[in-house]
Amino acid sequence: MTALKRLVNSTATYALANVINSAIPFLLLPVLTRVLAPVEYGVVTMFTTVVSVLTAFTGLSIHGAVSVRHFDVETDHPRFVGTCLGLLAVSTSLVLLIVWLMAGALSRWVEIPEGWLLIAVLASAAQAIVQVRLVIWQVRSEVWRYGLFQILQTALNLGLSLGLILLLGLGWEGRVLGICVAVFLFAGLALHGLQCRALVRWCVDLDYIRAALRFGVPLIPHAVGAMMIAMSDRFIITHLLGIGVTGTYAVGVQMGMVVGLLADAFVKAFGPHLFSELKSHDSFSDFRIVRQCSVVFLGFMVLALSYVALLPYFYPLIVGERYSASLPVAQLVGFGNAFMGMYYVIAGFLFFFERTMLLAKLTLVVGLISIVLAYLLVEKIGVIGAAWAYVLVQLLFFLGAWRLAQSVFPLPWLSQFRKRNNFHEFLCS
């Protein structure tokens, strides 16, 4: 019961932090949708998407490597963190050079000014530093510090954005400046916190560099696939329907992400518990893992269906009349995020066993499918086709990851249907 209580408390704390963290942007959304035209909102969306994609190239998923290594008693953790941050400096420099050389072409491709692309590279590196600090709090079960840090960063981000947009009259530039200033400041605070608590030792350890690269480099194709999934729908909509429709679509996507945020909150709490089960593998843990994951999957579906049913009652009040047509998009994205949450749980198996290359191949394949699927559906049924493509892609991700996880660590998923189970005993075990 103690383990279950700890899991429930952690989940509740992460959920509270994520709800507050996501509530701040939603409080700002009614303002942004009334002062920014769909075209401007589209530019903001493209900038944040580019930062997210670049983080995979600059950060090389070092936060994931730090998370997994936390459970290795033979690792010198401060030395490993220092080595990973040194690797981040090198990778950021290389990405910055490449983006600078290709700035013109990239600017036309993503419809963001060249100077902002260079700033996006630095913002992606800063975000990688923040992720390292957050994941250390996560694996050490310091959930309140984790949540407070996230909330304060988001509050500063949106507070600056409001001031720059409403007081100084800046448009999309004010929103982007708010994002960048906040992430730079909190990256500095993250580094200071790591140094003060002796959680980092600045050094270059070749063995740790190789370990971090073995973990992170295979995830670069994963990032390419993620880029296809995250950005292709925006490009396709812009090409076929116009940048204004892209901005409206982005509002619907943001509203649909509520389910994803809540699922992510649970996965953050469930992840360390799952890793512990895998680490202390015994004859009964396989059945416990299967039953626990099954309950989690059912919970994600109930959450998504409830959100889809309730969303129409408050949607126009939040986004306003100009963006109200995006309601079906928000509902479909919300439903698709149930599958995304399931995928995150299953992907934890592949991360634990450091089989990230399999995950990278899956993402590339699904990413290519998503481009074709989104283009065909948008061309045939309009912007709602992109949302349907999102649902199908997330389902493919989940099923593909489940199949790969079974090949790495087979589990008796069908056993729970062959005999009666005492769920109370399972939950308390």
Side-chain angles (χ1 to χ4, degrees):
M1 179 64 75
T2 302
L4 175 62
K5 186 176 181 180
R6 188 184 308 116
L7 176 62
V8 171
N9 288 339
S10 296
T11 301
T13 305
Y14 279 122
L16 178 62
N18 271 17
V19 167
I20 295 174
N21 200 47
S22 58
I24 297 173
F26 279 109
L27 291 174
L28 181 60
L29 189 62
V31 178
L32 292 180
T33 53
R34 286 164 175 81
V35 299
L36 294 182
V39 172
E40 291 184 292
Y41 203 94
V43 175
V44 174
T45 300
M46 293 305 298
F47 180 85
T48 55
T49 304
V50 167
V51 171
S52 298
V53 171
L54 287 174
T55 300
F57 291 92
T58 55
L60 294 173
S61 298
I62 58 173
H63 67 288
V66 170
S67 174
V68 171
R69 280 281 174 151
H70 175 79
F71 297 91
D72 185 351
V73 295
E74 297 181 359
T75 298
D76 183 339
H77 299 292
R79 188 177 180 88
F80 186 78
V81 172
T83 299
C84 286
L85 291 176
L87 187 61
L88 171 65
V90 175
S91 61
T92 300
S93 300
L94 291 174
V95 173
L96 193 62
L97 176 61
I98 293 170
V99 171
W100 178 67
L101 292 174
M102 301 176 60
L106 289 173
S107 177
R108 290 189 295 273
W109 184 38
V110 299
E111 299 188 32
I112 297 174
E114 295 181 16
W116 285 107
L117 283 176
L118 299 177
I119 295 174
V121 176
L122 298 177
S124 71
Q127 187 59 38
I129 295 171
V130 170
Q131 288 174 338
V132 169
R133 188 66 188 97
L134 290 174
V135 82
I136 291 176
W137 275 322
Q138 180 187 348
V139 295
R140 293 162 68 98
S141 298
E142 299 183 46
V143 292
W144 285 105
R145 294 178 185 272
Y146 181 105
L148 182 61
F149 196 83
Q150 269 194 321
I151 292 168
L152 290 176
Q153 181 183 347
T154 303
L156 177 63
N157 172 341
L158 299 181
L160 286 172
S161 298
L162 278 176
L164 293 169
I165 293 173
L166 299 180
L167 300 180
L168 299 184
L170 298 179
W172 67 264
E173 295 94 338
R175 179 71 185 101
V176 171
L177 271 174
I179 294 170
C180 293
V181 171
V183 74
F184 290 144
L185 176 60
F186 274 77
L189 292 174
L191 288 174
H192 178 71
L194 291 171
Q195 188 71 48
C196 288
R197 300 192 66 182
L199 295 173
V200 61
R201 186 178 306 126
W202 302 102
C203 62
V204 177
D205 188 306
L206 293 180
D207 289 336
Y208 287 162
I209 288 176
R210 283 191 288 267
L213 290 175
R214 277 197 306 269
F215 184 93
V217 170
L219 288 176
I220 292 179
H222 182 280
V224 174
M227 178 174 61
M228 295 175 186
I229 295 166
M231 300 183 70
S232 61
D233 53 356
R234 276 75 164 176
F235 286 120
I236 291 167
I237 292 170
T238 300
H239 174 68
L240 295 177
L241 305 176
I243 188 68
V245 180
T246 303
T248 303
Y249 173 77
V251 171
V253 170
Q254 184 173 351
M255 289 293 295
M257 284 298 166
V258 170
V259 176
L261 290 168
L262 294 174
D264 180 64
F266 182 84
V267 172
K268 282 184 171 64
F270 186 68
H273 170 76
L274 176 62
F275 287 174
S276 296
E277 288 275 23
L278 294 171
K279 184 72 175 178
S280 59
H281 182 251
D282 57 51
S283 57
F284 300 104
S285 62
D286 288 1
F287 294 99
R288 289 200 304 270
I289 291 172
V290 166
R291 294 168 185 173
Q292 290 169 8
C293 288
S294 298
V295 172
V296 170
F297 296 160
L298 178 61
F300 286 161
M301 290 303 300
V302 171
L303 171 65
L305 291 172
S306 301
Y307 185 74
V308 168
L310 295 173
L311 190 58
Y313 295 102
F314 56 84
Y315 196 80
L317 299 176
I318 296 176
V319 304
E321 290 298 323
R322 185 159 51 173
Y323 292 87
S324 61
S326 60
L327 171 61
V329 171
Q331 290 175 305
L332 284 170
V333 171
F335 182 72
N337 281 333
F339 297 121
M340 182 184 71
M342 298 179 196
Y343 160 78
Y344 282 154
V345 172
I346 292 298
F349 292 93
L350 299 173
F351 281 118
F352 181 83
F353 292 106
E354 300 188 13
R355 301 297 297 273
T356 52
M357 180 60 78
L358 295 175
L359 204 57
K361 292 177 181 178
L362 172 67
T363 309
L364 269 179
V365 171
V366 176
L368 290 171
I369 293 173
S370 73
I371 293 176
V372 176
L373 196 59
Y375 191 92
L376 291 176
L377 290 177
V378 170
E379 189 176 43
K380 187 172 182 62
I381 60 176
V383 68
I384 197 65
W388 275 112
Y390 181 84
V391 174
L392 295 173
V393 164
Q394 296 305 325
L395 176 59
L396 283 175
F397 253 133
F398 166 59
L399 295 177
W402 179 82
R403 182 67 184 87
L404 293 175
Q406 278 295 94
S407 68
V408 172
F409 186 69
L411 288 172
W413 291 96
L414 297 179
S415 64
Q416 57 191 318
F417 302 109
R418 292 177 184 149
K419 59 184 179 179
R420 297 177 63 184
N421 294 297
N422 187 329
F423 276 91
H424 180 268
E425 180 181 351
F426 139 65
L427 288 172
C428 297
S429 61

